[in-house]
Amino acid sequence: IMDLNRASRYLSYLLRHHPEAAGITLDAHGWADVDQLLAGMKKHRITRAQLEEIVAADQKQRYAFDERRTKIRANQGHSIAVDVELREGEPPARLWHGSAKRFAASIEVQGLLPQSRLYVHLSTDVQTARKVGARHGEPIVYEIDCAAMRRDAYVFYLSQNGVWLIKQVPYRYMKEVQER
Ligand code: HQG
């Protein structure tokens, strides 16, 4: 299990950020050839069956096979410019974003920006947002007024694995959630 966990993290790294590390390329829609990927995963050798297991067991459903199951891609989270054919969606009235306190001053000026990724990632509850933020340091959580953003014609996307994504969030739609 532990080994597959590490292989899964490496898979994220390859399929979202650095396919060249396995000597492979992604097509315009983010797809990698499964055989080439397996052959290129020299640091974490896994079998086709183990790859299937990682994809099926992934808690966040981060990966998807194409219909013929010859190609695989990450559903979201990329830093490289691929078009994973995100659908636009009508978000709930409020969503949350978890960050680190050390980014707060910058966020108050710039709002939320995708930084190294293609989109800003939003969470559907405060607890999840706090966990995401804690990956970067002492967490800070913001509530996003999605209803107001929709009235102002901002477009939200929902990834295949249910993550809300947006290009940016100006600070005027954000409110810090006081921890209790
Ligand atoms: C921050 C995981 C300064 C932003 C998680 C975040 C997530 C700013 C950091 C997913 C800023 C970027 C994504 C600004 C935003 N000034 N800092 N103007 N705007 N930031 O890792 O949201 O397990 O790229 O708040 O669950 O932390 O990998 O984004 O702290 O859903 O599938 O810049 O990754 O999912 O960090 O995480 P990241 P994230 P997986």
Side-chain angles (χ1 to χ4, degrees):
I1 298 278
M2 203 49 223
D3 250 345
L4 286 192
N5 240 326
R6 289 184 52 194
S8 171
R9 298 176 76 95
Y10 187 51
L11 201 57
S12 277
Y13 173 82
L14 295 174
L15 295 178
R16 288 172 169 177
H17 312 296
H18 289 287
E20 77 283 356
I24 61 168
T25 55
L26 308 184
D27 75 10
H29 298 298
W31 296 109
D33 180 85
V34 172
D35 293 332
Q36 284 177 15
L37 172 70
L38 291 173
M41 287 179 69
K42 301 207 166 78
K43 285 193 193 162
H44 296 276
R45 282 246 156 271
I46 56 170
T47 63
R48 166 92 203 198
Q50 285 171 322
L51 181 67
E52 303 256 359
E53 192 182 329
I54 288 169
V55 173
D58 191 272
Q59 292 297 319
K60 295 186 183 176
Q61 291 293 293
R62 290 179 180 87
Y63 321 105
F65 288 108
D66 72 336
E67 255 169 50
R68 297 169 55 220
R69 303 181 81 77
T70 59
K71 295 189 282 185
I72 185 171
R73 72 179 173 189
N75 284 317
Q76 39 70 226
H78 299 79
S79 58
I80 43 184
V82 294
D83 168 15
V84 294
E85 302 146 302
L86 293 172
R87 354 172 222 138
E88 290 182 17
E90 207 50 62
R94 298 175 304 168
L95 286 168
W96 288 266
H97 179 85
S99 189
K101 284 192 173 160
R102 62 195 167 95
F103 300 146
S106 167
I107 288 172
E108 282 175 33
V109 175
Q110 302 181 321
L112 296 175
L113 297 175
Q115 306 296 53
S116 64
R117 301 188 201 250
L118 299 178
Y119 297 92
V120 172
H121 292 221
L122 303 174
S123 303
T124 51
D125 62 87
V126 182
Q127 296 88 312
T128 306
R130 190 160 282 127
K131 267 190 233 163
V132 173
R135 292 155 64 247
H136 301 282
E138 197 186 333
I140 183 168
V141 174
Y142 300 98
E143 185 180 295
I144 315 293
D145 187 349
C146 301
M149 290 188 79
R150 284 297 297 136
R151 284 196 293 275
D152 293 344
Y154 283 87
V155 177
F156 289 75
Y157 301 94
L158 186 60
S159 71
Q160 209 56 49
N161 58 333
V163 177
W164 285 101
L165 303 166
I166 188 161
K167 267 295 174 193
Q168 62 161 138
V169 181
Y171 193 68
R172 63 180 178 279
Y173 300 106
M174 301 170 60
K175 191 171 73 187
E176 185 183 337
V177 176
Q178 300 303 327
E179 48 196 311
R180 335 167 297 135

